[in-house]
Amino acid sequence: MKFQVPRGTADVFFEEAELWNYIEQTSKEIFKRYNYKEIRTPIFEYTELFQRGVGETTDIVEKEMYTFTDRGGRSLTLRPEGTASVVRAFVEHKLYANPDPTKLYYIGPMFRYERPQSGRMRQFTQVGVEVLGSSDPAIDAEVISLAIRIFEEMGLTNLRLELNSVGCPVCRPLHREKLVTHLHGVKEKLCKDCQSRLERNPMRVLDCKNETCQEVTKDAPTIDQHLCEDCKSHHEKVKAYLDQMGIEYVENPRLVRGLDYYTQTAFEIISKDIGAVGTICGGGRYNGLVAEIGGNDVPGIGFAFSLERVALALKEKGIDLKLAKGIDVYFVTTGEKADSVSMKILDDLRKAGIKAEKDYLGRKMKAQMKAADRLQAKYVLILGDDEFESKKVILRDMASGEQQEVSFDDIIPVLTSKLR
Ligand SMILES: [Zn+2]
Ligand SMILES: [Zn+2]
C-alpha cells in the first residue's frame, strides 16, 4: 500500500514553504501598518452559515462544499471561504459594540471541491481582510490600496486593478429586469451554466469566461447606467481617493457579484504574469451581509487572495527571496570526550542566537566536513579529544580556510563578533 496526498491537496516543504512564509509575513507586516488585527476562526462551521453567508445559489454552496454529518448528527462544512465566519464571529462576540470600525485579517486553509489545476487546489490558503462598521468610501479606497500595497511589496509589479460598482437593493432591480429581458433574447446561445444562472443569478452571466457568452452579452445592459445617486456618488468618491493616491484602475462594468448583499464597490486585481485567468485577488463591499447572518444593519467590505496563486505569480516572475541560506556554524566532533560536551556547547551557541548544527550519525571527521559544506556553514568548530584536554576548539573560516584556536569560554564572543 502506497499512500499519496488526496487529489487537490499538496505537501508544502523546503523552498515552497519559505515562499509561503514570505507571503504570510509580508502580508502580516502590512496588515499591522494599516492597523488590522488578526482573527482565527474554526476550520468547520455549521453548514447553514455558508448557505446563508455565501448564498444558496452560488457554485460554492451548490457543488463545491465539503459537508459532513458529525457523530452528533449535526451538519458541518469545511469553510469554503473566510468572510461568512468572520461576520459570524463579529455578530457572536458583539464586536459592533466597539465605537471604531472593526478591521480584521485572516490567513488559513479553505476547502472547495473543484477540478484541481495549477494554482487552484481543493485545499487552498486564503489571506483576507474584512472591515465592518463603516460605509465611508475612504475605507473602500484603504482596502483596495492595502491589497495593492501587499502585492507590490512582495515584488509583483505587473498588476491591473479592475473596478466597478454593483449598485444596491435600490438601484439593482431596475438593471436586473432589463438584463433578464436581454438575456432571454439570447438564451439559446448561452452556455449551460449561464442558462441556469439566468434564473437564479443573472448578474453572473456578465462575467462568464465562455467566449460565446461574452459575445452574445456584449450589448447587454450593465449596472453603471443604472446606479442610484447614492451609489454613483460613493463610486465617484472611491475613484477620487484612488486618483489622489496614484493608484491606477480600469473600470469594468461587467465585474459583478451575484448576490443581493453585495453592494457598491467591487474590484479584482489581475496579475499579467500568470496565465489566461490571472485574477489573484477579489473584493468588494457587502452592506447586506451582516444582517443576512443575523446581525444588525452593519456595512462591510473586504478582499481575499489565494496564497497558492500569488506564490505562482511570484515564481513566474522569478522573485529572489534573498532568504538567509546556510547555517552559521557546523560543530565537528571526534572522540568520546569531545562528544560528551558537544551538546552543551551546541546548546550555548543556539542560546546565543547562532544558527548551529552537528553530526548525529556518528560519521568520521571527513564526512562531517562534507556535511558542513552541504549545509553551507560559514564556520566550522572542530573538537577532538586533544582539544578537549586543553579546553579549546579549532575555529575554521570556511570561506578563507583560515583556522585559529579558541578557548571554550571565548567561543560565543569570538563567533558573535565574526558573524556580526
Ligand atoms: Zn444604489
Ligand atoms: Zn456562460
Side-chain angles (χ1 to χ4, degrees), residues 190-195 197 205 208-210 212-214:
L190 295 173
C191 75
K192 247 181 38 214
D193 280 346
C194 284
Q195 291 192 5
R197 279 179 192 135
V205 176
C208 179
K209 304 292 181 239
N210 181 301
T212 316
C213 292
Q214 289 183 359

Side-chain angles (χ1 to χ4, degrees), residues 167-185:
C168 70
V170 174
C171 51
R172 210 154 36 206
L174 181 66
H175 168 242
R176 189 187 167 109
E177 208 184 297
K178 288 190 185 167
L179 178 63
V180 170
T181 308
H182 178 94
L183 293 177
H184 271 294

Side-chain angles (χ1 to χ4, degrees), residues 217-232:
T217 60
K218 116 175 155 287
D219 300 318
T222 49
I223 182 75
D224 51 330
Q225 303 137 11
H226 300 87
L227 293 180
C228 65
E229 283 312 312
D230 235 23
C231 290
K232 219 183 277 174

